[in-house]
Amino acid sequence: MKQTKPIFFAILAAALYALNSPFSKLLLSGLSPTMLAALLYLGAGIGLFFVGVIKRKIGIAELEKPLTKKELPSASFPAALFIMAIGTYFVSSESSDSTIKKSSP
């Protein structure tokens, strides 16, 4: 049973993730895809926050070691890439918006 429990949860997570977007799009049909994705990630973050709070309350939370100076570069690299990706998205969306506005009569 020990080996099948993680596999079951992995399959369950994949199934719920696959069902999440179509149902969300049906319920929130007036939103743009970017806003829908933002709300989905916000909901996931809020849910994990409450999971952490509950785990601490009942005493099963694992204490994590703080980041060391040696680990800081490898931990900050993904954050820097994320910030660059968001910046690139906004710059490219602004340039495509101005192109659309110029070409329309």
Side-chain angles (χ1 to χ4, degrees), residues 1-17:
M1 182 63 184
K2 276 258 194 225
Q3 294 291 346
T4 60
K5 192 173 182 180
I7 295 170
F8 169 74
F9 282 124
I11 293 171
L12 179 65
L16 291 175
Y17 182 78

Side-chain angles (χ1 to χ4, degrees), residues 3 9 14-16 30 43 63-64 84 89 94 100:
Q3 294 291 346
F9 282 124
L16 291 175
L63 297 176
E64 295 182 9
M84 289 189 316
Y89 170 77
E94 286 177 8
I100 293 170

Side-chain angles (χ1 to χ4, degrees), residues 9-86:
F9 282 124
I11 293 171
L12 179 65
L16 291 175
Y17 182 78
L19 292 174
N20 191 13
S21 291
F23 283 123
S24 297
K25 197 63 178 169
L26 287 174
L27 294 173
L28 304 168
S29 61
L31 294 177
S32 70
T34 306
M35 184 59 72
L36 180 61
L39 288 175
L40 290 174
Y41 283 112
L42 178 66
I46 291 170
L48 285 176
F49 171 76
F50 284 118
V51 166
V53 168
I54 291 169
K55 285 176 77 172
R56 277 188 225 105
K57 290 272 187 202
I58 61 176
I60 61 171
E62 297 177 14
L63 297 176
E64 295 182 9
K65 294 180 184 177
L67 283 175
T68 64
K69 288 184 180 182
K70 182 182 176 185
E71 298 168 329
L72 193 59
S74 61
S76 60
F77 184 69
L81 286 178
F82 176 74
I83 291 169
M84 289 189 316
I86 295 296

